[in-house]
Amino acid sequence: MMVVGIVAVCVVMAVLAFLVPRLSRHPESGTQRTLGAGSRVGGKAPGVLGRIFSKPFRSSSQAVGRSGSAGRRTRGRMPF
């Protein structure tokens, strides 16, 4: 279920970054801040479990950042 949610957030971020590039920065940073908090909490587990629990949040945060930057980059390449 979490995977579907992250995919939906990435699609929304890409569309938002394409339509309104400047206004997409705030929702993107808020999403990354939330995912970063999950990563920090998961990382407090002892030993290997900490890395295992925090990895999904780290990779999701990176995916949100990439989708937002891809939308802004695509918008910048448009001829109009």
Side-chain angles (χ1 to χ4, degrees), residues 53-68:
F53 289 156
S54 69
K55 185 176 179 180
F57 294 102
R58 275 196 319 258
S59 60
S60 298
S61 177
Q62 290 173 352
V64 168
R66 276 185 298 215
S67 64

Side-chain angles (χ1 to χ4, degrees), residues 12-37:
V12 168
M13 288 306 305
V15 170
L16 186 64
F18 182 76
L19 295 176
V20 282
R22 288 185 183 167
L23 295 178
S24 69
R25 300 258 183 202
H26 188 69
E28 179 183 342
S29 67
T31 305
Q32 287 181 334
R33 190 177 316 120
T34 303
L35 291 170

